Amino acid sequence: MGIISRFKDIMAANINALLDKCEDPEKMIDQTMRNLTKDLGEVKQETAAVMADEQRCKRELDECNNEIAKMQTYAEKALLAGNEADAMKFLEQKNTLTAKQASLQQTYDVAAANAMKMRQMHDKLVKDINELDARRDAIKAKMKVAKTQQKLNKMTSTMTDSSSSISAFERMEAKANSMLDQANAMSELNLTTEESGVDALAAKYDAAPDAAVKDELEALKAKMGLQ
């Protein structure tokens, strides 16, 4: 019964706690199911052996009962034939078989009880394995979702880093645009300044002298002998 005892220990253990300590819960679940399946195979063999023993005991008991019934019949026939001595012999054999019957009945009762217990344990083990198998699928599904979520989290983190890089790039681009705008403004100012000087000088010579000023200039030149 060591297998049954080990099975009970496994079922009583806190499987969730074991999973928490395991680096790879999926592998542990699969290994646990393999162990239970192996135990189930051994339990089946033991159950089959106990059930076979029950059937053997039942067969021996039935044979003994048939022999007792047969001795009873022969004893009755002997009496009807007037042979009391033969009837006594048949009844003596019947009594011997009846004593054997009591022992066989006791043996069969024990074998039948053991077979029933083993069958109940076998059925319980099959049921629990099926339940654990369903839980295994659920846990594996959760693990798959968790791994996917971890990948998404990692991708989200990478996208956050990319957003930071893009933001920095945009700041550099804005700074470059500002520098270019300043350079263009300075160039425009320089060009405006140069054009203003030339325009002022040209206006100096393009302006027509005042008539009074011209006469005064001529008089001054005559006075100074410059004509």
Side-chain angles (χ1 to χ4, degrees), residues 42-61:
E42 296 179 7
V43 168
K44 282 184 177 180
Q45 291 180 356
E46 290 193 12
T47 301
V50 173
M51 293 178 66
D53 187 54
E54 176 198 15
Q55 293 173 1
R56 179 184 58 79
C57 291
K58 181 66 167 58
R59 184 171 57 254
E60 291 178 355
L61 179 61

Side-chain angles (χ1 to χ4, degrees), residues 183-197:
N184 289 335
M186 184 61 68
S187 176
E188 184 177 350
L189 288 174
N190 290 338
L191 181 60
T192 301
T193 301
E194 292 176 0
E195 290 178 349
S196 297

Side-chain angles (χ1 to χ4, degrees), residues 1-225:
M1 296 297 178
I3 296 173
I4 300 301
S5 177
R6 185 165 68 256
F7 164 70
K8 290 181 178 179
D9 291 339
I10 293 173
M11 296 307 300
N14 189 339
I15 295 180
N16 291 329
L18 294 176
L19 292 177
D20 291 338
K21 296 179 181 179
C22 183
E23 294 182 358
D24 193 338
E26 290 188 51
K27 289 184 179 180
M28 181 175 180
I29 292 171
D30 290 338
Q31 184 60 48
T32 300
M33 292 303 301
R34 283 193 292 268
N35 293 340
L36 288 176
T37 301
K38 179 181 177 182
D39 289 345
L40 177 60
E42 296 179 7
V43 168
K44 282 184 177 180
Q45 291 180 356
E46 290 193 12
T47 301
V50 173
M51 293 178 66
D53 187 54
E54 176 198 15
Q55 293 173 1
R56 179 184 58 79
C57 291
K58 181 66 167 58
R59 184 171 57 254
E60 291 178 355
L61 179 61
D62 290 342
E63 290 174 355
C64 183
N65 289 333
N66 290 335
E67 285 297 316
I68 290 174
K70 187 186 295 184
M71 293 302 103
Q72 178 68 28
T73 299
Y74 283 143
E76 292 174 357
K77 287 181 179 180
L79 284 176
L80 291 175
N83 296 321
E84 291 186 6
D86 290 344
M88 288 289 294
K89 289 181 180 180
F90 287 129
L91 291 176
E92 288 175 357
Q93 181 62 22
K94 175 187 174 182
N95 289 337
T96 300
L97 291 172
T98 300
K100 180 181 179 181
Q101 179 195 41
S103 177
L104 291 175
Q105 183 67 53
Q106 183 179 8
T107 301
Y108 169 72
D109 290 342
V110 173
N114 289 337
M116 182 179 66
K117 290 179 181 178
M118 285 299 299
R119 185 57 187 263
Q120 289 175 346
M121 291 181 182
H122 169 271
D123 294 345
K124 177 68 165 55
L125 180 56
V126 171
K127 178 181 177 182
D128 290 336
I129 287 178
N130 290 335
E131 290 179 356
L132 288 176
D133 192 44
R135 289 181 60 191
R136 173 177 64 174
D137 294 339
I139 292 174
K140 283 190 172 185
K142 290 180 180 179
M143 289 295 299
K144 185 176 181 180
V145 172
K147 289 180 179 179
T148 302
Q149 185 62 50
Q150 289 176 349
K151 290 181 180 179
L152 290 175
N153 292 340
K154 187 175 181 180
M155 292 176 63
T156 301
S157 177
T158 302
M159 291 178 64
T160 301
D161 294 340
S162 298
S163 299
S164 178
S165 299
I166 293 174
S167 179
F169 184 86
E170 290 176 346
R171 289 195 301 273
M172 289 186 288
E173 184 178 20
K175 185 175 181 180
N177 289 336
S178 177
M179 292 175 64
L180 179 60
D181 291 340
Q182 291 179 12
N184 289 335
M186 184 61 68
S187 176
E188 184 177 350
L189 288 174
N190 290 338
L191 181 60
T192 301
T193 301
E194 292 176 0
E195 290 178 349
S196 297
V198 173
D199 291 343
L201 184 60
K204 174 182 176 182
Y205 291 98
D206 289 340
D210 186 80
V213 174
K214 185 176 181 181
D215 292 341
E216 186 177 356
L217 178 61
E218 292 295 331
L220 182 58
K221 288 169 60 179
K223 182 180 180 180
M224 294 177 64

